[in-house]
Amino acid sequence: MSDIWQRLAEKKALDPALRGEIESEFGARGRKALVAIDDGKIKKYLDFFVVAGRTADYIVDEDFCTCSDFMYRGRTCWHLLATRIAQLTGTFVPVDSWYQDQLKPAR
């Protein structure tokens, strides 16, 4: 598994071979992560990465995610995988604002 991360860090791109390895290694989670990257669903705010999921947006910070898969089952979710891949390849949407400001109620 660490070989995938090393090659992504070196290439800084998702080629067909790496995409296949990600799907093979992580199964459905890997496929969902790649689709999210392809669809531009990973945003990097000034404070957090945010991944748009099917039903909500999830905050990802290092090895933590706010989704129920991570919170209740304690395992690596596709949001974490997508964020890690996006970080290594630069395939995220930069947002020049703080995500926490998006959460504050309007005055």
Side-chain angles (χ1 to χ4, degrees):
M1 179 166 57
S2 62
D3 290 338
I4 293 171
W5 305 123
Q6 181 67 33
R7 284 193 299 285
L8 279 171
E10 290 168 0
K11 289 187 174 190
K12 302 202 182 309
L14 274 169
D15 62 23
L18 278 169
R19 292 176 78 89
E21 281 186 61
I22 290 167
E23 287 189 35
S24 176
E25 180 74 31
F26 299 106
R29 286 190 181 96
R31 283 188 293 281
K32 287 180 183 179
L34 292 170
V35 167
I37 289 168
D38 293 342
D39 291 348
K41 292 186 176 186
I42 293 79
K43 295 180 181 175
K44 182 176 186 328
Y45 287 83
L46 298 174
D47 47 357
F48 301 111
F49 275 90
V50 176
V51 179
R54 267 187 316 125
T55 58
D57 287 348
Y58 301 101
I59 296 171
V60 176
D61 189 28
E62 296 184 21
D63 289 330
F64 175 83
C65 182
T66 59
C67 78
S68 60
D69 193 30
F70 181 86
M71 299 289 282
Y72 299 112
R73 295 183 191 108
R75 58 185 187 193
T76 300
C77 60
W78 68 264
H79 312 103
L80 281 171
L81 292 175
T83 300
R84 188 163 184 193
I85 295 164
Q87 282 180 292
L88 291 170
T89 60
T91 51
F92 53 82
V93 177
V95 179
D96 191 24
S97 67
W98 300 95
Y99 185 71
Q100 64 186 6
D101 289 343
Q102 310 295 316
L103 303 174
K104 294 179 183 174
R107 294 181 186 199

mmCIF file of all heavy atoms in Angstrom, residues 25-51:
data_model
loop_
_atom_site.group_PDB
_atom_site.id
_atom_site.type_symbol
_atom_site.label_atom_id
_atom_site.label_comp_id
_atom_site.label_asym_id
_atom_site.label_seq_id
_atom_site.Cartn_x
_atom_site.Cartn_y
_atom_site.Cartn_z
ATOM 1 N N GLU A 25 -6.347 -2.161 -4.630
ATOM 2 C CA GLU A 25 -5.978 -2.132 -3.212
ATOM 3 C C GLU A 25 -7.154 -1.769 -2.305
ATOM 4 O O GLU A 25 -7.344 -2.353 -1.250
ATOM 5 C CB GLU A 25 -4.844 -1.128 -2.991
ATOM 6 C CG GLU A 25 -4.375 -1.001 -1.561
ATOM 7 C CD GLU A 25 -3.553 -2.187 -1.080
ATOM 8 O OE1 GLU A 25 -2.855 -2.807 -1.896
ATOM 9 O OE2 GLU A 25 -3.623 -2.488 0.128
ATOM 10 N N PHE A 26 -7.960 -0.791 -2.719
ATOM 11 C CA PHE A 26 -8.999 -0.248 -1.840
ATOM 12 C C PHE A 26 -10.429 -0.582 -2.259
ATOM 13 O O PHE A 26 -11.373 -0.196 -1.590
ATOM 14 C CB PHE A 26 -8.842 1.266 -1.725
ATOM 15 C CG PHE A 26 -7.529 1.685 -1.137
ATOM 16 C CD1 PHE A 26 -6.541 2.233 -1.935
ATOM 17 C CD2 PHE A 26 -7.267 1.506 0.213
ATOM 18 C CE1 PHE A 26 -5.322 2.611 -1.406
ATOM 19 C CE2 PHE A 26 -6.048 1.883 0.757
ATOM 20 C CZ PHE A 26 -5.070 2.435 -0.055
ATOM 21 N N GLY A 27 -10.603 -1.263 -3.375
ATOM 22 C CA GLY A 27 -11.928 -1.698 -3.804
ATOM 23 C C GLY A 27 -12.893 -0.547 -4.042
ATOM 24 O O GLY A 27 -12.538 0.462 -4.654
ATOM 25 N N ALA A 28 -14.102 -0.682 -3.509
ATOM 26 C CA ALA A 28 -15.150 0.319 -3.716
ATOM 27 C C ALA A 28 -14.741 1.686 -3.171
ATOM 28 O O ALA A 28 -15.049 2.715 -3.780
ATOM 29 C CB ALA A 28 -16.449 -0.126 -3.063
ATOM 30 N N ARG A 29 -14.034 1.701 -2.056
ATOM 31 C CA ARG A 29 -13.579 2.991 -1.506
ATOM 32 C C ARG A 29 -12.615 3.680 -2.470
ATOM 33 O O ARG A 29 -12.678 4.892 -2.661
ATOM 34 C CB ARG A 29 -12.914 2.795 -0.152
ATOM 35 C CG ARG A 29 -13.891 2.505 0.945
ATOM 36 C CD ARG A 29 -13.194 2.575 2.305
ATOM 37 N NE ARG A 29 -14.160 2.260 3.334
ATOM 38 C CZ ARG A 29 -14.313 1.059 3.868
ATOM 39 N NH1 ARG A 29 -13.571 0.065 3.493
ATOM 40 N NH2 ARG A 29 -15.219 0.864 4.804
ATOM 41 N N GLY A 30 -11.736 2.926 -3.064
ATOM 42 C CA GLY A 30 -10.802 3.488 -4.039
ATOM 43 C C GLY A 30 -11.520 4.029 -5.256
ATOM 44 O O GLY A 30 -11.195 5.122 -5.747
ATOM 45 N N ARG A 31 -12.514 3.298 -5.746
ATOM 46 C CA ARG A 31 -13.291 3.770 -6.905
ATOM 47 C C ARG A 31 -14.035 5.059 -6.580
ATOM 48 O O ARG A 31 -14.036 6.003 -7.367
ATOM 49 C CB ARG A 31 -14.272 2.689 -7.363
ATOM 50 C CG ARG A 31 -13.615 1.573 -8.164
ATOM 51 C CD ARG A 31 -14.622 0.614 -8.769
ATOM 52 N NE ARG A 31 -15.332 -0.176 -7.762
ATOM 53 C CZ ARG A 31 -14.819 -1.247 -7.146
ATOM 54 N NH1 ARG A 31 -13.601 -1.670 -7.437
ATOM 55 N NH2 ARG A 31 -15.532 -1.917 -6.250
ATOM 56 N N LYS A 32 -14.661 5.104 -5.405
ATOM 57 C CA LYS A 32 -15.384 6.320 -4.998
ATOM 58 C C LYS A 32 -14.427 7.501 -4.870
ATOM 59 O O LYS A 32 -14.766 8.622 -5.253
ATOM 60 C CB LYS A 32 -16.114 6.095 -3.669
ATOM 61 C CG LYS A 32 -17.322 5.216 -3.785
ATOM 62 C CD LYS A 32 -17.977 5.053 -2.418
ATOM 63 C CE LYS A 32 -19.162 4.127 -2.475
ATOM 64 N NZ LYS A 32 -19.780 3.951 -1.150
ATOM 65 N N ALA A 33 -13.255 7.261 -4.329
ATOM 66 C CA ALA A 33 -12.262 8.328 -4.183
ATOM 67 C C ALA A 33 -11.855 8.880 -5.548
ATOM 68 O O ALA A 33 -11.782 10.099 -5.743
ATOM 69 C CB ALA A 33 -11.038 7.812 -3.427
ATOM 70 N N LEU A 34 -11.606 7.995 -6.501
ATOM 71 C CA LEU A 34 -11.202 8.435 -7.841
ATOM 72 C C LEU A 34 -12.322 9.190 -8.544
ATOM 73 O O LEU A 34 -12.074 10.199 -9.213
ATOM 74 C CB LEU A 34 -10.754 7.228 -8.669
ATOM 75 C CG LEU A 34 -9.459 6.564 -8.194
ATOM 76 C CD1 LEU A 34 -9.235 5.251 -8.925
ATOM 77 C CD2 LEU A 34 -8.272 7.498 -8.355
ATOM 78 N N VAL A 35 -13.556 8.744 -8.389
ATOM 79 C CA VAL A 35 -14.699 9.444 -8.986
ATOM 80 C C VAL A 35 -14.820 10.843 -8.386
ATOM 81 O O VAL A 35 -15.046 11.824 -9.102
ATOM 82 C CB VAL A 35 -16.009 8.643 -8.803
ATOM 83 C CG1 VAL A 35 -17.228 9.492 -9.131
ATOM 84 C CG2 VAL A 35 -15.985 7.390 -9.672
ATOM 85 N N ALA A 36 -14.652 10.945 -7.068
ATOM 86 C CA ALA A 36 -14.732 12.260 -6.411
ATOM 87 C C ALA A 36 -13.659 13.201 -6.940
ATOM 88 O O ALA A 36 -13.922 14.385 -7.188
ATOM 89 C CB ALA A 36 -14.605 12.096 -4.899
ATOM 90 N N ILE A 37 -12.460 12.677 -7.144
ATOM 91 C CA ILE A 37 -11.375 13.502 -7.703
ATOM 92 C C ILE A 37 -11.723 13.918 -9.123
ATOM 93 O O ILE A 37 -11.605 15.089 -9.485
ATOM 94 C CB ILE A 37 -10.036 12.739 -7.645
ATOM 95 C CG1 ILE A 37 -9.576 12.635 -6.191
ATOM 96 C CG2 ILE A 37 -8.981 13.409 -8.515
ATOM 97 C CD1 ILE A 37 -8.443 11.680 -5.968
ATOM 98 N N ASP A 38 -12.172 12.970 -9.932
ATOM 99 C CA ASP A 38 -12.541 13.271 -11.320
ATOM 100 C C ASP A 38 -13.656 14.307 -11.402
ATOM 101 O O ASP A 38 -13.691 15.121 -12.323
ATOM 102 C CB ASP A 38 -12.973 11.998 -12.051
ATOM 103 C CG ASP A 38 -11.835 11.003 -12.240
ATOM 104 O OD1 ASP A 38 -10.650 11.404 -12.131
ATOM 105 O OD2 ASP A 38 -12.133 9.817 -12.491
ATOM 106 N N ASP A 39 -14.567 14.271 -10.426
ATOM 107 C CA ASP A 39 -15.709 15.182 -10.422
ATOM 108 C C ASP A 39 -15.432 16.503 -9.710
ATOM 109 O O ASP A 39 -16.335 17.320 -9.539
ATOM 110 C CB ASP A 39 -16.926 14.505 -9.774
ATOM 111 C CG ASP A 39 -17.481 13.374 -10.623
ATOM 112 O OD1 ASP A 39 -17.097 13.247 -11.810
ATOM 113 O OD2 ASP A 39 -18.308 12.589 -10.096
ATOM 114 N N GLY A 40 -14.205 16.721 -9.254
ATOM 115 C CA GLY A 40 -13.846 17.974 -8.594
ATOM 116 C C GLY A 40 -14.513 18.173 -7.244
ATOM 117 O O GLY A 40 -14.816 19.299 -6.848
ATOM 118 N N LYS A 41 -14.704 17.086 -6.492
ATOM 119 C CA LYS A 41 -15.418 17.178 -5.218
ATOM 120 C C LYS A 41 -14.523 17.375 -4.004
ATOM 121 O O LYS A 41 -14.995 17.423 -2.880
ATOM 122 C CB LYS A 41 -16.280 15.932 -5.023
ATOM 123 C CG LYS A 41 -17.423 15.868 -6.015
ATOM 124 C CD LYS A 41 -18.344 14.734 -5.718
ATOM 125 C CE LYS A 41 -19.528 14.778 -6.675
ATOM 126 N NZ LYS A 41 -20.519 13.772 -6.326
ATOM 127 N N ILE A 42 -13.206 17.503 -4.236
ATOM 128 C CA ILE A 42 -12.292 17.727 -3.124
ATOM 129 C C ILE A 42 -11.861 19.187 -3.164
ATOM 130 O O ILE A 42 -11.261 19.651 -4.133
ATOM 131 C CB ILE A 42 -11.055 16.801 -3.185
ATOM 132 C CG1 ILE A 42 -11.433 15.343 -2.960
ATOM 133 C CG2 ILE A 42 -10.052 17.171 -2.113
ATOM 134 C CD1 ILE A 42 -12.002 14.655 -4.103
ATOM 135 N N LYS A 43 -12.192 19.908 -2.092
ATOM 136 C CA LYS A 43 -11.850 21.328 -2.000
ATOM 137 C C LYS A 43 -10.884 21.530 -0.848
ATOM 138 O O LYS A 43 -11.049 20.945 0.220
ATOM 139 C CB LYS A 43 -13.105 22.172 -1.777
ATOM 140 C CG LYS A 43 -14.050 22.126 -2.939
ATOM 141 C CD LYS A 43 -15.272 22.972 -2.693
ATOM 142 C CE LYS A 43 -16.205 22.882 -3.895
ATOM 143 N NZ LYS A 43 -17.462 23.606 -3.633
ATOM 144 N N LYS A 44 -9.891 22.371 -1.097
ATOM 145 C CA LYS A 44 -8.944 22.712 -0.033
ATOM 146 C C LYS A 44 -9.187 24.150 0.385
ATOM 147 O O LYS A 44 -8.867 25.083 -0.335
ATOM 148 C CB LYS A 44 -7.508 22.545 -0.490
ATOM 149 C CG LYS A 44 -6.548 22.867 0.647
ATOM 150 C CD LYS A 44 -5.129 22.628 0.313
ATOM 151 C CE LYS A 44 -4.197 22.808 1.490
ATOM 152 N NZ LYS A 44 -4.558 23.782 2.485
ATOM 153 N N TYR A 45 -9.810 24.297 1.539
ATOM 154 C CA TYR A 45 -9.997 25.610 2.145
ATOM 155 C C TYR A 45 -8.717 25.969 2.889
ATOM 156 O O TYR A 45 -7.798 25.169 2.975
ATOM 157 C CB TYR A 45 -11.187 25.569 3.107
ATOM 158 C CG TYR A 45 -12.519 25.515 2.413
ATOM 159 C CD1 TYR A 45 -13.044 24.312 1.958
ATOM 160 C CD2 TYR A 45 -13.262 26.671 2.206
ATOM 161 C CE1 TYR A 45 -14.268 24.257 1.314
ATOM 162 C CE2 TYR A 45 -14.490 26.626 1.566
ATOM 163 C CZ TYR A 45 -14.992 25.422 1.123
ATOM 164 O OH TYR A 45 -16.197 25.374 0.480
ATOM 165 N N LEU A 46 -8.650 27.152 3.445
ATOM 166 C CA LEU A 46 -7.467 27.572 4.187
ATOM 167 C C LEU A 46 -7.269 26.762 5.465
ATOM 168 O O LEU A 46 -6.150 26.652 5.961
ATOM 169 C CB LEU A 46 -7.549 29.066 4.515
ATOM 170 C CG LEU A 46 -7.585 29.997 3.302
ATOM 171 C CD1 LEU A 46 -7.826 31.433 3.737
ATOM 172 C CD2 LEU A 46 -6.313 29.877 2.481
ATOM 173 N N ASP A 47 -8.344 26.190 5.998
ATOM 174 C CA ASP A 47 -8.236 25.445 7.243
ATOM 175 C C ASP A 47 -8.430 23.930 7.110
ATOM 176 O O ASP A 47 -7.863 23.174 7.887
ATOM 177 C CB ASP A 47 -9.204 25.994 8.295
ATOM 178 C CG ASP A 47 -10.623 26.228 7.768
ATOM 179 O OD1 ASP A 47 -10.867 26.014 6.571
ATOM 180 O OD2 ASP A 47 -11.483 26.640 8.569
ATOM 181 N N PHE A 48 -9.216 23.477 6.142
ATOM 182 C CA PHE A 48 -9.513 22.054 6.017
ATOM 183 C C PHE A 48 -9.667 21.657 4.557
ATOM 184 O O PHE A 48 -9.946 22.495 3.707
ATOM 185 C CB PHE A 48 -10.863 21.702 6.687
ATOM 186 C CG PHE A 48 -10.955 22.015 8.135
ATOM 187 C CD1 PHE A 48 -11.791 23.027 8.578
ATOM 188 C CD2 PHE A 48 -10.233 21.289 9.067
ATOM 189 C CE1 PHE A 48 -11.905 23.316 9.930
ATOM 190 C CE2 PHE A 48 -10.341 21.572 10.420
ATOM 191 C CZ PHE A 48 -11.182 22.595 10.842
ATOM 192 N N PHE A 49 -9.569 20.355 4.336
ATOM 193 C CA PHE A 49 -10.064 19.784 3.086
ATOM 194 C C PHE A 49 -11.525 19.445 3.324
ATOM 195 O O PHE A 49 -11.907 19.022 4.424
ATOM 196 C CB PHE A 49 -9.312 18.495 2.722
ATOM 197 C CG PHE A 49 -8.034 18.737 1.986
ATOM 198 C CD1 PHE A 49 -6.851 18.892 2.666
ATOM 199 C CD2 PHE A 49 -8.020 18.820 0.600
ATOM 200 C CE1 PHE A 49 -5.669 19.121 1.994
ATOM 201 C CE2 PHE A 49 -6.851 19.045 -0.092
ATOM 202 C CZ PHE A 49 -5.669 19.202 0.610
ATOM 203 N N VAL A 50 -12.350 19.621 2.311
ATOM 204 C CA VAL A 50 -13.759 19.278 2.402
ATOM 205 C C VAL A 50 -14.104 18.442 1.175
ATOM 206 O O VAL A 50 -13.766 18.807 0.043
ATOM 207 C CB VAL A 50 -14.652 20.541 2.469
ATOM 208 C CG1 VAL A 50 -16.121 20.165 2.457
ATOM 209 C CG2 VAL A 50 -14.309 21.353 3.717
ATOM 210 N N VAL A 51 -14.748 17.315 1.414
ATOM 211 C CA VAL A 51 -15.139 16.413 0.336
ATOM 212 C C VAL A 51 -16.660 16.411 0.248
ATOM 213 O O VAL A 51 -17.343 16.168 1.243
ATOM 214 C CB VAL A 51 -14.624 14.972 0.579
ATOM 215 C CG1 VAL A 51 -15.067 14.044 -0.539
ATOM 216 C CG2 VAL A 51 -13.107 14.968 0.725
#
